[in-house]
């Protein structure tokens, strides 16, 4: 292969417009993310129509900035990769339409990437970059032919991946296969994603959006054992008896076929927090805080110290937030390590927006060390949505010539892998 292996990745599945140039799936030359947080914050969640409008506004300058930062001209690219699903239909279409037009105009191959596979490749990309730094290799020396595994030595063994974000809490067994990866879904949430629970609890308590970073910051100053939240064991057979799957995802991954020990449910803890807030009359404090944080012109800033946290909320609220986070991280750990043990995976990858969480990283890291397992996270910037992960996930497809046609469209419920 004589080309530099330069892929432009484009991501627009939710509320970030992102573009990135990655060389050979292993070296990030640029990663630009335009966040829509300011647009959606006042609604406490993503408003799909506003998201599409913001993507339309941002896509051209974001792609231009990614090329400029990388110092790459359009004519030097080898392929264009774009997220085709899952995500918001209107939002996905902005990225897809733009990528198709650009690929057509430049005569470049177009590669469709599953957003969830992208999140998994955010970890693999980080590992490859770290390994290259240790070895001080140029990226070209890592992948030179179509027969090479696009990952390097680290990527040879199967891994259990937890994708934990605002839209997903999914466990996949990932296996390297002839330079690409195959995925088998082994567990997932029955209702809310973990990040969604973070966002809803934060909204209930009057904090900013997205809620994860707020709870992450505040939880450090509360007592994690103050409120004993509990997760009960899910009984799928009872839950699903006689029901036909209603969604595409349920067809591709029937819950009844998954091990109930690897299933998650986060809607219960959200309700438990709501009850606690009502019982302890925390609502007025939350409403006053929201009014302050979202007042016109207010610049909500994450608290950095205990003093700043206490200026924002009472100690019982800090304790509640710390207990919520402690319980969520504990449940994610329990099921992920149970799956790793049962499936014989010696390597764990944690990715998605919630993987930026400090307590999650520390506790997963300590438990992995105790069990003698290898664990990897993306950098915090690559944990949340970005396009470097899309360009990296496209690299094996580029090598195998797996290209999308101009008929490519958005698939809002695109699934990754199949269940058992
Ligand atoms: O991966 P992502 O950017 O978008 C989706 O694909 O959903 O994840 C966004 C989610 C949000 O729910 C946000 O609250 C959560 O990730 N999040 C965090 C943290 N940073 C972002 N959750 C916990 N702790 C964090 N530090
Ligand atoms: Zn995501």
């Amino acid at each position: 292969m004589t080309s530099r292996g330069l892929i432009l990745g484009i991501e627009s599945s939710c509320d970030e417009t992102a573009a990135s140039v990655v060389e050979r799936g292993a070296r990030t030359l640029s990663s630009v993310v335009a966040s829509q947080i300011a647009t959606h914050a006042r609604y406490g969640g993503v408003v799909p129509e506003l998201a599409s409008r913001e993507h339309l506004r941002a896509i051209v300058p974001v792609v231009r900035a990614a090329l400029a930062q990388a110092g790459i001209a359009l004519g030097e690219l080898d392929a264009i990769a774009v997220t085709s699903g899952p995500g918001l239909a209107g939002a996905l279409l902005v990225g897809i339409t733009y990528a198709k037009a650009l690929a057509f105009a430049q005569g470049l191959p177009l590669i469709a990437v599953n957003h969830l596979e992208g999140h998994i490749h955010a970890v693999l990309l980080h590992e490859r970059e770290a390994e290259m730094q240790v070895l001080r290799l140029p990226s070209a020396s890592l992948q030179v032919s179509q027969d090479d595994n696009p990952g390097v030595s680290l990527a040879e063994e199967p891994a259990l991946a937890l994708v934990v974000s605002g839209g997903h809490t999914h466990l996949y067994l990932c296996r390297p296969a002839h330079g690409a990866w195959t995925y088998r879904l082994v567990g997932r949430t029955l209702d809310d994603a973990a990040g969604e629970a973070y966002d809803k609890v934060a909204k209930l308590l009057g904090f900013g959006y997205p809620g994860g970073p707020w709870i992450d910051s505040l939880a450090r100053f509360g007592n994690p054992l103050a409120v004993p939240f509990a997760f009960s064991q899910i009984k799928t057979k009872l839950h699903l008896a006689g029901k036909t799957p209603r969604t595409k995802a349920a067809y591709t991954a029937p819950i009844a076929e998954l091990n109930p020990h690897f299933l998650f449910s986060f809607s219960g803890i959200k309700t438990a927090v709501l009850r606690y807030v009502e019982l302890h009359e925390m609502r007025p404090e939350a409403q006053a805080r929201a009014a302050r944080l979202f007042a016109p012109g207010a610049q909500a800033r994450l608290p950095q110290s205990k003093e700043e946290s206490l200026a924002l909320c009472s100690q019982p609220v800090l304790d509640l937030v710390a207990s919520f986070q402690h319980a969520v991280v504990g449940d994610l750990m329990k099921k992920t390590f149970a799956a790793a043990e049962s499936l014989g995976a010696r390597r764990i990858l944690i990715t998605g927006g919630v993987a930026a969480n400090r307590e999650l990283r520390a506790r997963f890291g300590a438990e992995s060390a105790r069990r003698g397992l290898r664990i990897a996270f993306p950098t915090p910037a690559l944990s949340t949505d970005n396009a470097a992960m899309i360009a990296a996930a496209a690299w094996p497809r580029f090598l195998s010539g797996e290209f999308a046609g101009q008929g490519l469209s958005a698939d809002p419920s695109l699934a990754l892998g199949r269940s058992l």
Side-chain angles (χ1 to χ4, degrees):
M1 175 176 294
T2 51
S3 72
R4 280 182 68 187
L6 294 174
I7 297 186
L8 170 71
I10 296 177
E11 154 67 37
S12 70
S13 66
C14 191
D15 60 347
E16 331 269 4
T17 319
S20 162
V21 179
V22 176
E23 188 178 359
R24 295 177 185 272
R27 192 169 151 237
T28 309
L29 302 186
S30 67
S31 179
V32 177
V33 181
S35 170
Q36 303 177 2
I37 284 176
T39 304
H40 303 289
R42 67 181 63 242
Y43 305 101
V46 178
V47 183
E49 290 77 7
L50 296 183
S52 308
R53 196 187 69 190
E54 293 297 312
H55 284 307
L56 277 171
R57 248 206 272 265
I59 189 92
V60 174
V62 163
V63 168
R64 278 202 189 129
L67 290 168
Q69 274 183 25
I72 297 293
L74 266 178
E76 291 176 78
L77 291 173
D78 294 292
I80 295 181
V82 64
T83 306
S84 62
L88 301 169
L92 287 163
L93 276 174
V94 176
I96 292 173
T97 310
Y98 188 70
K100 282 204 291 198
L102 210 53
F104 182 74
Q106 295 294 317
L108 291 171
L110 180 69
I111 301 170
V113 175
N114 183 310
H115 182 81
L116 298 167
E117 184 175 18
H119 273 302
I120 292 170
H121 275 265
V123 194
L124 302 173
L125 172 63
H126 180 46
E127 280 191 337
R128 283 175 215 145
E129 288 189 318
E131 183 156 312
M132 274 196 311
Q133 268 174 3
V134 171
L135 301 172
R136 299 204 189 290
L137 292 172
S139 60
S141 55
L142 286 179
Q143 296 111 17
V144 288
S145 83
Q146 303 236 343
D147 298 329
D148 276 354
N149 187 322
V152 284
S153 53
L154 265 176
E156 294 297 318
E157 60 177 297
L160 181 74
L162 170 66
V163 183
V164 60
S165 69
H168 298 89
T169 304
H170 282 37
L171 279 169
Y172 294 99
L173 189 63
C174 316
R175 289 180 196 281
H178 313 297
W181 288 79
T182 61
Y183 305 93
R184 199 180 93 201
L185 183 87
V186 294
R188 70 176 175 94
T189 180
L190 293 177
D191 40 55
D192 292 354
E196 202 176 342
Y198 266 93
D199 294 338
K200 287 177 176 168
V201 164
K203 185 178 180 186
L204 173 71
L205 291 171
F207 297 117
Y209 172 82
W214 285 86
I215 292 181
D216 188 351
S217 290
L218 295 162
R220 290 175 295 162
F221 307 114
N223 173 5
L225 304 177
V227 188
F229 290 117
F231 284 87
S232 49
Q233 176 56 50
I234 291 160
K235 300 186 182 71
T236 52
K237 295 281 167 4
L238 283 180
H239 172 76
L240 287 172
K243 286 193 188 164
T244 36
R246 277 179 303 165
T247 61
K248 187 175 163 200
Y251 273 110
T252 45
I255 287 168
E257 288 178 16
L258 298 172
N259 183 330
H261 291 102
F262 313 153
L263 293 176
F264 302 93
S265 167
F266 293 103
S267 70
I269 191 162
K270 177 191 70 190
T271 313
V273 172
L274 173 66
R275 287 225 187 86
Y276 190 91
V277 164
E278 277 166 1
L279 198 68
H280 294 81
E281 294 170 2
M282 291 171 162
R283 263 217 196 266
E285 182 190 323
Q287 282 163 348
R289 183 167 36 244
R292 244 187 13 254
L293 287 177
F294 298 118
Q299 294 259 313
R301 178 176 159 270
L302 291 181
Q304 304 299 325
S305 63
K306 177 142 192 173
E307 291 67 39
E308 284 182 22
S309 301
L310 281 169
L312 193 69
C313 50
S314 62
Q315 187 62 49
V317 169
L318 290 181
D319 292 344
L320 173 60
V321 158
S323 302
F324 162 78
Q325 175 161 291
H326 185 78
V328 169
V329 172
D331 190 61
L332 290 170
M333 285 174 64
K334 183 175 151 198
K335 288 159 186 174
T336 305
F337 285 111
E341 190 172 325
S342 151
L343 299 165
R346 310 285 312 150
R347 177 173 179 227
I348 295 178
L349 313 175
I350 314 279
T351 187
V354 183
N357 187 271
R358 282 168 280 192
E359 179 177 340
L360 181 146
R361 285 181 179 235
R363 288 175 62 196
F364 263 95
E367 182 62 17
S368 296
R370 200 183 68 74
R371 291 172 180 250
L373 302 178
R374 285 224 319 275
I375 189 157
F377 301 90
T379 57
L382 286 189
S383 298
T384 49
D385 289 349
N386 65 86
M389 67 187 198
I390 303 302
W395 176 243
R397 295 193 202 288
F398 177 75
L399 288 178
S400 60
E402 222 180 294
F403 302 134
Q406 278 289 323
L408 178 67
S409 193
D411 188 345
S413 55
L414 184 65
L416 176 65
R418 298 184 66 86
S419 57
L420 299 173

